[in-house]
Amino acid sequence: MSSNPLDNKSQAWSALFSEPMSELVQRYTASVAFDQRLWRADVAGSLAHAEMLAAQSIVGADDLAAIQRGMAQITAEIEAGSFEWKLNLEDVHLNIEARLTQLVGDAGKRLHTGRSRNDQVATDVRLWLRDEIDAIGSLLVELQRALVTVAEKHADVILPGFTHLQVAQPVSFGHHLLAYVEMFARDAERFAQTRERTNRLPLGAAALAGTSYPLDRERVARTLGMVDSVGNPALCQNSLDAVSDRDFAIEFTSAAALCMVHFSRLSEELVLWMSQNFGFIDLADRFCTGSSIMPQKKNPDVPELARGKTGRVVGHLMGLITLMKGQPLAYNKDNQEDKEPLFDTVDTLKDTLRIFIEMVAGITVKPEAMERAALRGHATATDLADYLVKKGLPFRDAHEVVAHAVKLAIAQGATLSELPLATLQGFHPAISDDVYAVLTLQGSLNARGGIGGTAPAQVRAQVARHRARLG
Ligand code: ARG
């Protein structure tokens, strides 16, 4: 077996270099500590490339067989944890290639024909991210299902709806939860669209200009499942762009940041609702922690952390977008810095999804506390105004009449529905005893039965729509 030029890469890249890298520079430039998680994509990309090289008679069938054998062993070694990752081999790509050559000799050295690490790494990140997007998509479906189940169960539970965090109008608790289902459904749409632009093949771009070998890029794309919605191979069509842009990663992180923002809003509500001042819900103990000093405490740590981790993902988005902004075409080593923020975004989002799927399913709802709070805030004042409008008043006048009634109710410490008919008629003679039906919380909810409204019947219709959509 001939010598392996990658063996002493730390000494020098090639005959061109006359001094080795210092240990500090090696550590500074290496990415293997974190990019080794791309190994499966790297192996898959290399196998697809090698298979195409053989089909195009650029390498021999014996070379391909040797590469396949070597890669099978490398896969086994990595899975078993016995693969020796070397810092002096810089990244996942050189580590795997060096081991391949060690195992199969010259065939390993032929693998890099018509390829550069620049198109290799872009391909690996895209393949890896595509599969992660699929995993995230499945988790989003599960999360929506969990929310829909709780929403259906509590379609008739009445919650004070807030604007400005002041009691506004009563809403169905199920309706409130379905608002989050809408948000997470749009997140899923965004991820699906990002997937389409991620799942395109850079290989063949080589270092930046394309290659002089007669590669069959479409064949490689098909092998790797990089196809468009109608099954045609999806290729990056410009070599400079293929190796250098990371917009797909930025786009993904942007979708992830938005999804985390949705979690953060839900978290804020869970924290408020669980506080003694609201007392609307309880979270299962396993999602909370106690205090080291105050024995009475049960703190909603999980939603608080999700709210906090949102900042971290938003930070990754800023990091990635800033990473890109000053780069001239084509590849620059700056791009190696795309990995940690991207990986951490995926990890954080997946963990948050998994934990919320469980936490939402185990939520304890306290309908009496919610209803009491709704009654306290004169939440049916708008219903009284609408009632007067139906009796012929212009809305602005009705609004004014009701403001007076609410003022009196506040002064008497009563709800609107507790005011006697004679008192109400004092505010406007058009009021008669059918008014009490609209002043109840249930009446207020039931009146809002149009598409998107909070009536329990409408909530159930939406539950059915979501079920059909989610399968
Ligand atoms: N580790 C590098 C990265 O993550 C691989 C590409 C290196 N290419 C190069 N020309 N130095 O981007």
Side-chain angles (χ1 to χ4, degrees):
M1 197 182 290
S2 60
S3 73
N4 183 350
L6 287 180
D7 274 351
N8 50 357
K9 193 192 132 274
S10 63
Q11 295 307 308
W13 276 94
S14 66
L16 185 67
F17 285 66
S18 54
E19 60 171 0
M21 253 184 195
S22 77
E23 211 188 301
L24 174 62
V25 174
Q26 243 186 59
R27 194 154 46 75
Y28 196 73
T29 56
S31 54
V32 65
F34 49 85
D35 69 12
Q36 53 180 270
R37 82 146 85 180
L38 295 174
W39 74 267
R40 252 182 224 286
D42 197 67
V43 168
S46 287
L47 285 173
H49 180 67
E51 190 264 331
M52 178 275 295
L53 290 178
Q56 298 292 96
S57 305
I58 300 168
V59 303
D62 50 336
D63 291 318
L64 173 60
I67 289 168
Q68 287 168 333
R69 180 163 40 83
M71 286 302 192
Q73 171 153 352
I74 288 169
T75 299
E77 288 176 2
I78 298 175
E79 280 175 344
S82 62
F83 188 92
E84 199 189 332
W85 298 102
K86 295 184 183 144
L87 190 76
N88 67 334
L89 285 172
E90 197 180 306
D91 58 24
V92 60
H93 325 290
L94 292 178
N95 267 271
I96 290 180
E97 193 188 330
R99 178 70 181 137
L100 181 70
T101 299
Q102 207 177 52
L103 289 169
V104 305
D106 282 356
K109 288 190 258 175
R110 293 206 169 95
L111 171 62
H112 213 50
T113 311
R115 185 178 77 167
S116 153
R117 272 188 304 156
N118 296 351
D119 58 346
Q120 188 178 358
V121 68
T123 302
D124 289 4
V125 176
R126 283 171 183 267
L127 283 175
W128 176 84
L129 185 58
R130 176 193 71 189
D131 292 350
E132 292 295 343
I133 290 173
D134 289 343
I136 288 165
S138 306
L139 287 169
L140 271 168
V141 169
E142 269 189 71
L143 174 70
Q144 292 177 71
R145 283 202 189 117
L147 283 165
V148 166
T149 301
V150 183
E152 181 179 40
K153 194 165 156 207
H154 301 290
D156 294 299
V157 170
I158 295 174
L159 173 82
F162 297 98
T163 61
H164 314 273
L165 206 56
Q166 310 281 319
V167 171
Q169 291 174 352
V171 294
S172 146
F173 184 60
H175 186 59
H176 194 106
L177 290 181
L178 290 185
Y180 285 99
V181 174
E182 295 291 333
M183 296 179 224
F184 291 121
R186 286 195 300 277
D187 289 328
E189 272 175 35
R190 269 184 284 273
F191 284 120
Q193 288 160 3
T194 298
R195 184 195 195 278
E196 239 179 88
R197 283 181 287 274
T198 298
N199 197 29
R200 292 178 189 167
L201 182 78
L203 272 181
L208 75 164
T211 176
S212 57
Y213 297 97
L215 304 188
D216 182 350
R217 297 187 64 208
E218 296 194 339
R219 182 184 181 114
V220 177
R222 277 210 188 83
T223 308
L224 293 172
M226 288 179 139
V227 291
D228 65 18
S229 54
V230 292
N232 291 321
L235 304 181
C236 297
Q237 297 284 341
N238 179 293
S239 59
L240 296 162
D241 175 49
V243 294
S244 65
D245 208 337
R246 297 291 181 268
D247 59 357
F248 63 93
I250 294 171
E251 202 180 300
F252 167 81
T253 308
S254 162
L258 261 176
C259 186
M260 286 300 295
V261 164
H262 293 149
F263 274 121
S264 191
R265 299 185 68 193
L266 176 56
S267 296
E268 171 66 7
E269 299 206 306
L270 294 174
V271 170
L272 281 175
W273 290 344
M274 201 177 130
S275 73
Q276 284 74 16
N277 293 331
F278 284 75
F280 290 177
I281 60 152
D282 205 5
L283 295 176
D285 288 358
R286 62 185 184 283
F287 302 106
C288 302
T289 61
S291 155
S292 57
I293 175 169
M294 297 167 283
Q296 85 282 14
K297 295 275 283 192
K298 181 176 151 187
N299 299 324
D301 282 33
V302 165
E304 287 174 55
L305 266 173
R307 200 173 55 191
K309 284 175 191 288
T310 302
R312 171 182 180 138
V313 173
V314 170
H316 292 328
L317 173 60
M318 293 305 115
L320 284 176
I321 210 162
T322 310
L323 173 68
M324 208 67 244
K325 76 172 270 295
Q327 288 193 51
L329 295 180
Y331 176 86
N332 301 277
K333 187 80 167 188
D334 311 42
N335 284 334
Q336 184 165 288
E337 287 289 307
D338 66 353
K339 294 178 192 56
E340 286 163 294
L342 187 59
F343 294 168
D344 188 71
T345 297
V346 165
D347 292 343
T348 305
L349 180 60
K350 279 167 72 185
D351 282 349
T352 306
L353 278 158
R354 288 194 192 106
I355 209 160
F356 268 73
I357 290 166
E358 259 194 69
M359 193 167 67
V360 162
I363 197 170
T364 303
V365 176
K366 301 178 172 173
E368 311 77 36
M370 290 182 185
E371 191 160 340
R372 231 178 297 127
L375 283 171
R376 263 202 309 272
H378 306 289
T380 57
T382 313
D383 296 275
L384 181 54
D386 291 343
Y387 169 88
L388 288 168
V389 167
K390 283 168 197 156
K391 300 264 173 181
L393 267 73
F395 182 77
R396 284 292 159 216
D397 293 340
H399 185 278
E400 187 58 20
V401 167
V402 176
H404 287 294
V406 169
K407 195 170 172 190
L408 181 77
I410 291 171
Q412 297 194 350
T415 66
L416 282 175
S417 59
E418 283 164 355
L419 296 179
L421 183 59
T423 309
L424 287 172
Q425 282 171 334
F427 292 108
H428 201 280
I431 297 177
S432 60
D433 62 358
D434 59 353
V435 74
Y436 291 103
V438 309
L439 287 181
T440 62
L441 299 175
Q442 283 78 5
S444 172
L445 252 67
N446 288 336
R448 290 166 171 75
I451 292 173
T454 194
Q458 174 62 212
V459 172
R460 288 193 185 90
Q462 293 287 344
V463 163
R465 183 179 66 81
H466 287 303
R467 288 245 161 86
R469 177 176 69 77
L470 293 166

